[in-house]
């Protein structure tokens, strides 16, 4: 019998009957009923989630009891509420949880074993409830549970690049989720489902608007709309943030300047922030893009980043708000190598930011490329709070057309040794604050959500939203473990489906690198929309917007020389990395062309020359996508037809694109390489049907 079609709306919160009879019996025995203590919006959300999930998972009614009785099986409440029923947990256990951690514990009492879910706040308890449901969804053993889980990063934020007109910058899944036109009137289910999904993976903040900001986001009219969303999101533990336009005092306030050193400007912001907090008492703060890609900022009036960030921070500080000041700057006057600019601008400011300012740094020094080394600011500003910015939306990685599971990339970054304080000072430990003794910490992911029914355009792009939340909560989780959870929850617990999909996902990032930008190549996508290949692009108004700037291919070789014979960006890293990156023989091959202009006949560890290896990588990338297509075809009978067909179409498109990337890049670089013949050998076997993608990114949301 054919399975009913599914549209992907449920995401990973896809509750289905536990199919293994033994496990089902065990779960039924453990959870014959549930009791949610307390009253209020969040306890009600917990009740409704349990009422939605348990009867389906256990395939029978699971009464939600009002009262605490001796035979309560699953008891959910805060530490204080549990204590009021006579269940007192050791003080040390409760303190350890902090405000957001939760505890799930099997608790033998009066002849039965209860399962307790508790925490010091209701949002923490809600996260715990989702965790227990995840254990059921992924068919884990729930006997003798004793889990105490707390996040190591305090602010775990989604950044939406959504404009007030409903469009999304770098959005590939339809229009904005926020319907600004009738926000106050509407309390749509979709808002709740968004917040619910965030809560289920521990995301606790959301920046509602684009960092390429519009002044009107701070107008009273929009603040009221923002407050309506904040009210909806609050019970889910989700705080809203905004991205203000730095020159709003001029645009919105009618002042003559937005100079942060001017007391009139500071006062304007203080009043504006007070207004925000009157409407949204738990407002998270501001994410600011200043003096970057044409956005206004303090440097326009001769002030600097610290002046701007601190002025906003002073206004937010009495209310407990935070500034996320982005370090995505690359003024050519700072350095001719774009990769060096942020470090040169920000390192001299270390120690000058107020305690509620994060300098928010992208994972790599250019711009969310398929692979970059970690940003050298990590490990270079020990007196400053550094937030890590990741991009969930796949701007440079095939957008919502390509299946690319990003957790392995994020893990590579987080696990990178910076050597700032010797071994162990990884990017993760710096972001968590542990390496430098900071107690505040923040990670932000640029969201990939939109109005498409399946939220993310590609069913598999949902995995990246999920993985962001899980990694933000616990950066020690492996990409494989997260994929395992997500596949079980989203697709199936059938071992053959699970293993097949995990194989596709876990190889997909390296495949994408190989068919787009192997060996450290970067930024050779088509101009503007960044979708397909265009390594020869050389018509931009500034050098570092041209693709030829990034690969520098010539008769001698290819790659950007960032060693000491070139821009010396390698020296922005700590020893021993700087020496390792500096030397072509010790530089990791995955970053070879990032740091070196390598000769075409340079020998790689495989024994191949650079030119041969480059072609081999392009071939490997295409072959990996062919394999993904074939694995997915093999799953047809085991996946619902609607989602299978949707993903099939996109995988075919991905294969076509991968072949095109190979053809265009090998052809282009072949013009510089010593012998074209060596690659022509494989040309005949390539698909000739591929055509250059000639579409705007908005066309990409439909298959
Ligand atoms: C929001 C890249 C993107 C821009 C984005 C910018 C940023 O340059 O292409 O769309 O703007 O990064 O992160 O500010």
């Amino acid at each position: 019998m054919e399975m009913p079609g599914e549209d992907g709306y449920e995401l990973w919160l896809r509750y289905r009957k536990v199919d293994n009879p033994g496990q089902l019996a065990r779960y039924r025995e453990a959870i014959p009923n549930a009791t949610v203590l307390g009253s209020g919006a969040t306890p009600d959300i917990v009740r409704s989630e349990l009422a939605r999930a348990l009867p389906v998972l256990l395939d029978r009614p699971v009464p939600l009891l009002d009262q605490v009785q001796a035979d309560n099986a699953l008891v959910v409440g805060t530490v204080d509420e549990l204590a009021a029923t006579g269940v007192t947990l050791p003080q040390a256990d409760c303190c350890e949880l902090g405000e957001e951690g939760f505890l799930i514990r099997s608790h033998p009492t009066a002849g039965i074993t209860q399962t307790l879910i508790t925490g010091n706040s209701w949002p923490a308890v809600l996260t715990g409830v989702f965790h227990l449901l995840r254990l059921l969804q992924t068919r884990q053993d729930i006997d003798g549970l004793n889990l105490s889980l707390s996040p190591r990063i305090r602010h775990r934020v989604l950044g939406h690049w959504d404009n007030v007109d409903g469009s999304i910058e770098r959005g590939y899944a339809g229009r904005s989720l926020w319907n600004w036109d009738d926000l106050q009137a509407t309390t749509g289910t979709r808002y709740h489902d968004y917040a619910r999904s965030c809560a289920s993976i521990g995301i606790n903040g959301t920046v509602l608007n684009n960092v390429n900001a519009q002044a009107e986001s701070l107008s009273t009219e929009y603040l009221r709309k923002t407050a309506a969303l904040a009210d909806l999101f609050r019970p889910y533990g989700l705080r809203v943030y905004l991205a203000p336009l730095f020159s709003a005092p001029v645009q919105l306030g009618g002042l003559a300047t937005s100079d942060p050193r001017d007391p009139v400007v500071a006062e304007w912001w203080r009043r504006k922030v007070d207004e925000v907090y009157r409407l949204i008492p738990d407002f998270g703060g501001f994410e600011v893009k200043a003096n970057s890609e044409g956005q206004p900022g303090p440097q326009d009036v001769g002030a600097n980043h610290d002046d701007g960030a601190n002025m906003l921070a002073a206004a937010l500080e009495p209310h407990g708000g935070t500034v996320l000041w982005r370090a995505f700057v690359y003024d050519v006057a700072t350095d001719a190598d774009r990769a060096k600019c942020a470090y040169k601008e920000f390192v001299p400011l270390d120690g000058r930011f107020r305690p509620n300012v994060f300098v928010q740094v992208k994972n790599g020094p250019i711009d969310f490329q398929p692979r970059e080394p970690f940003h050298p600011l990590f490990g270079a500003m020990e007196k400053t709070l550094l937030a890590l910015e990741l991009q969930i939306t796949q701007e440079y990685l095939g957008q919502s057309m390509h299946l690319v599971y990003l957790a392995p990339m994020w893990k590579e970054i987080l696990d990178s040794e910076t050597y700032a304080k010797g071994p162990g000072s990884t990017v993760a430990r710096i972001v968590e604050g542990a390496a430098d003794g900071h107690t505040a910490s923040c990670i932000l992911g640029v969201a990939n959500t939109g109005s498409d029914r399946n939220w993310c355009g590609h069913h598999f792009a949902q995995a990246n939203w999920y993985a962001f939340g899980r990694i933000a909560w616990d950066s020690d989780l492996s990409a494989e473990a997260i994929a395992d959870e997500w596949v079980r929850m989203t697709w199936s617990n059938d071992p053959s489906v699970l293993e097949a999909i995990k194989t596709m996902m876990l190889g997909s990032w390296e495949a994408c690198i190989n068919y787009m930008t192997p060996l450290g190549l970067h930024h050779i996508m088509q101009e503007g929309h960044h979708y397909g290949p265009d390594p020869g692009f050389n018509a931009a108004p500034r050098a570092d917007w041209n693709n030829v700037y990034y690969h520098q291919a010539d008769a001698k070789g290819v790659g950007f020389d960032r060693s000491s014979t070139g821009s010396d960006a390698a020296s922005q890293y700590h020893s021993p990395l700087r020496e390792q990156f500096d030397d072509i023989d010790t530089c990791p091959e995955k970053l070879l062309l990032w740091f070196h202009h390598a000769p075409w006949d340079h020998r790689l560890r495989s024994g191949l020359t650079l030119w041969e290896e480059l072609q081999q990588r392009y071939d490997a990338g295409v072959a990996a996508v062919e394999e993904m297509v074939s694995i997915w075809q093999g799953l047809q009978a085991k996946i619902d037809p609607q989602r299978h067909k949707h993903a099939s179409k996109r995988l075919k498109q991905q294969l076509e694109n991968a072949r095109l990337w190979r053809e265009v890049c090998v052809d282009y670089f072949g013009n510089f390489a010593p012998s074209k013949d060596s690659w022509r050998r494989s040309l005949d076997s390539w698909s000739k049907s591929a055509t250059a993608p000639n579409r705007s990114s908005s066309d990409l949301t439909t298959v």
Side-chain angles (χ1 to χ4, degrees):
M1 195 181 68
E2 198 176 66
M3 286 176 244
E6 296 187 36
D7 57 19
Y9 182 83
E10 291 172 283
L11 296 162
W12 48 88
L13 298 174
R14 180 177 169 275
Y15 303 123
R16 296 292 183 274
K17 179 186 166 184
V18 174
D19 34 23
N20 175 315
Q23 229 158 6
L24 180 63
R26 180 59 211 111
Y27 290 167
R28 283 178 169 180
E29 190 187 329
I31 313 178
N33 59 53
T35 307
V36 180
L37 307 172
S39 58
T42 312
D44 284 347
I45 289 167
V46 168
R47 283 188 189 92
S48 110
E49 199 64 36
L50 292 176
R52 185 199 291 236
L54 292 176
V56 180
L57 283 161
L58 307 191
D59 195 31
R60 71 166 187 195
V62 179
L64 288 183
L65 308 176
D66 288 338
Q67 285 162 5
V68 182
Q69 303 169 182
D71 64 347
N72 291 150
L74 174 65
V75 183
V76 181
T78 62
V79 167
D80 289 346
E81 284 160 349
L82 279 185
T85 70
V87 180
T88 313
L89 297 161
Q91 185 66 22
D93 291 0
C94 303
C95 288
E96 223 173 70
L97 294 176
E99 204 191 316
E100 293 191 292
F102 60 83
L103 192 139
I104 306 182
R105 185 168 283 177
S106 299
H107 176 68
T109 176
I112 64 159
T113 299
Q114 293 181 325
T115 303
L116 308 177
I117 305 181
T118 192
N120 290 316
S121 69
W122 262 103
V125 175
L126 176 62
T127 317
V129 166
F130 278 116
H131 193 85
L132 180 80
L133 292 175
R134 176 160 46 237
L135 297 181
L136 301 179
Q137 282 179 280
T138 58
R139 312 296 189 256
Q140 306 300 303
D141 192 355
I142 59 163
D143 293 331
L145 287 175
N146 190 9
L147 293 173
S148 172
L149 300 176
S150 310
R152 279 203 294 256
I153 299 182
R154 175 74 186 88
H155 304 285
R156 304 173 301 280
V157 183
L158 281 185
H160 291 269
W161 289 352
D162 293 18
N163 301 312
V164 290
D165 67 1
S167 61
I168 306 177
E169 181 156 350
R170 312 306 178 189
Y172 313 107
R175 309 265 302 160
S176 173
L177 289 171
W178 331 130
N179 186 353
W180 291 108
D181 287 341
D182 68 350
L183 241 182
Q184 269 172 289
T186 318
T187 50
T189 327
R190 190 133 192 178
Y191 294 132
H192 285 279
D193 285 334
Y194 165 79
R196 194 179 145 243
S197 311
C198 287
S200 74
I201 48 176
I203 289 170
N204 65 5
T206 175
V207 187
L208 297 181
N209 66 316
N210 192 353
V211 289
N212 285 333
Q214 289 150 297
E216 95 195 267
S217 297
L218 286 185
S219 66
T220 302
E221 184 194 352
Y222 273 89
L223 290 180
R224 291 218 175 94
K225 293 167 188 277
T226 302
L229 281 180
D231 290 345
L232 281 170
F233 295 165
R234 186 167 300 114
Y236 295 91
L238 192 61
R239 294 169 85 181
V240 304
Y241 295 64
L242 286 173
L245 185 71
F246 192 77
S247 58
V250 176
Q251 258 96 329
L252 208 60
L255 301 188
T257 176
S258 44
D259 189 334
R261 298 160 302 186
D262 185 329
V264 178
V265 173
E267 178 59 13
W268 185 88
W269 279 107
R270 199 183 61 72
R271 282 171 190 273
K272 185 47 81 181
V273 167
D274 288 350
E275 182 190 358
V276 172
Y277 278 91
R278 273 196 300 279
L279 292 163
I280 310 166
D282 59 345
F283 182 68
F286 290 145
E287 182 192 13
V288 191
K289 174 173 179 177
N291 293 120
S292 162
E293 298 187 331
Q295 289 296 298
Q299 293 174 338
D300 300 342
V301 288
N304 211 340
H305 295 292
D306 53 327
D307 300 310
N310 289 341
M311 183 265 302
L312 294 176
L316 288 159
E317 195 272 335
H319 306 281
T322 297
V323 174
L324 310 177
W325 190 269
R326 298 176 87 232
F328 180 61
V329 293
Y330 54 101
D331 184 349
V332 271
T334 310
D335 198 285
D337 180 0
R338 169 172 168 178
K340 290 174 67 186
C341 292
Y343 182 101
K344 285 176 83 172
E345 278 201 41
F346 278 88
V347 170
L349 306 180
D350 190 24
R352 284 169 47 180
F353 291 96
R354 292 177 78 107
N356 58 330
V357 175
F358 285 90
V359 170
Q360 182 175 298
V361 184
K362 289 188 181 183
N363 57 272
I366 295 291
D367 189 12
F368 298 137
Q369 295 303 296
R371 173 177 265 139
E372 301 193 27
F374 71 87
H375 201 300
L377 276 174
F378 293 109
M381 295 186 75
E382 62 175 320
K383 298 193 211 88
T384 304
L385 298 175
L386 294 180
L388 170 62
E389 180 173 342
L390 302 170
Q391 195 184 49
I392 309 171
T393 193
Q394 296 163 227
E395 176 180 352
Y396 293 94
L397 292 98
Q399 302 172 6
S400 61
M401 279 297 162
H402 294 202
L403 190 170
V404 187
Y405 175 52
L406 298 176
M409 179 208 290
W410 300 335
K411 286 292 292 179
E412 181 172 288
I413 294 292
L414 286 159
D415 293 345
S416 292
E417 286 282 6
T418 68
Y419 295 103
K421 301 221 157 114
S425 28
T426 58
V427 172
R429 299 292 96 88
I430 287 166
V431 174
E432 291 160 7
D436 299 313
H438 299 303
T439 50
S441 47
C442 178
I443 185 166
L444 180 142
V446 181
N448 64 349
T449 49
S451 61
D452 277 10
R453 183 69 191 158
N454 73 3
W455 301 87
C456 302
H458 198 312
H459 290 297
F460 278 89
Q462 297 176 353
N464 293 329
W465 180 9
Y466 182 82
F468 171 75
R470 297 291 287 137
I471 281 182
W473 179 274
D474 181 0
S475 64
D476 283 348
L477 287 173
S478 72
E480 200 268 340
I482 296 169
D484 193 280
E485 289 176 0
W486 180 79
V487 176
R488 287 172 180 275
M489 295 164 84
T490 309
W491 297 100
S492 174
N493 276 285
D494 174 334
S496 62
V497 177
L498 177 65
E499 290 315 315
I501 297 185
K502 273 166 55 180
T503 302
M504 290 167 67
M505 290 170 69
L506 290 169
S508 61
W509 174 48
E510 210 63 53
C512 175
I513 295 169
N514 278 337
Y515 65 72
M516 286 188 183
T517 50
L519 297 172
L521 283 172
H522 50 287
H523 216 301
I524 55 173
M525 293 75 190
Q526 286 183 24
E527 189 223 358
H529 58 69
H530 298 154
Y531 185 70
D534 192 3
F537 177 68
N538 195 16
R542 33 185 291 184
D544 60 358
W545 287 352
N546 283 322
N547 295 347
V548 297
Y549 164 94
Y550 292 99
H551 61 68
Q552 315 250 333
D554 59 19
K556 288 200 197 116
V558 61
F560 197 123
D561 185 0
R562 296 193 169 100
S563 74
S564 44
T565 59
S567 79
D568 203 21
S571 71
Q572 291 183 337
Y573 292 88
H574 291 276
S575 288
L577 282 182
R578 62 165 61 163
E579 294 80 9
Q580 199 190 337
F581 291 156
D582 191 50
D583 182 344
I584 195 168
D585 292 323
T586 56
C587 182
E589 287 183 348
K590 62 187 178 186
L591 296 174
L592 182 67
L593 306 181
W594 185 281
F595 284 110
H596 295 276
H597 189 72
W600 291 111
D601 59 359
H602 175 74
R603 289 257 163 227
L604 283 100
R605 259 153 243 146
S606 60
L608 299 175
T609 66
L610 169 60
W611 176 228
E612 288 163 347
E613 178 89 17
L614 208 53
Q615 296 165 81
Q616 193 274 335
R617 297 281 176 133
Y618 275 107
D619 278 342
V622 171
V625 183
E626 282 165 353
E627 178 69 9
M628 282 157 69
V629 170
S630 133
I631 293 176
W632 189 247
Q633 270 167 1
L635 290 175
Q636 189 165 10
K638 299 193 166 186
I639 302 282
D640 66 278
Q642 198 176 334
R643 287 190 301 166
H644 189 273
K645 189 171 165 204
H646 193 277
S648 285
K649 283 189 176 175
R650 293 197 176 214
L651 278 163
K652 281 182 192 138
Q653 167 95 57
Q654 181 172 2
L655 179 55
E656 206 178 284
N657 290 166
R659 287 176 175 149
L660 182 74
W661 266 94
R662 174 174 66 177
E663 185 160 347
V664 169
C665 292
V666 176
D667 192 22
Y668 175 80
F669 291 119
N671 292 326
F672 302 94
S675 149
K676 263 202 159 195
D677 295 343
S678 59
W679 66 266
R680 283 195 183 278
R681 65 187 155 73
S682 54
L683 186 63
D684 290 343
S685 63
W686 294 354
S687 162
K688 293 300 185 64
S689 61
T691 49
N694 178 22
R695 55 167 83 81
S696 73
S697 23
S698 58
D699 295 332
L700 299 174
T701 55
T702 50
V703 183

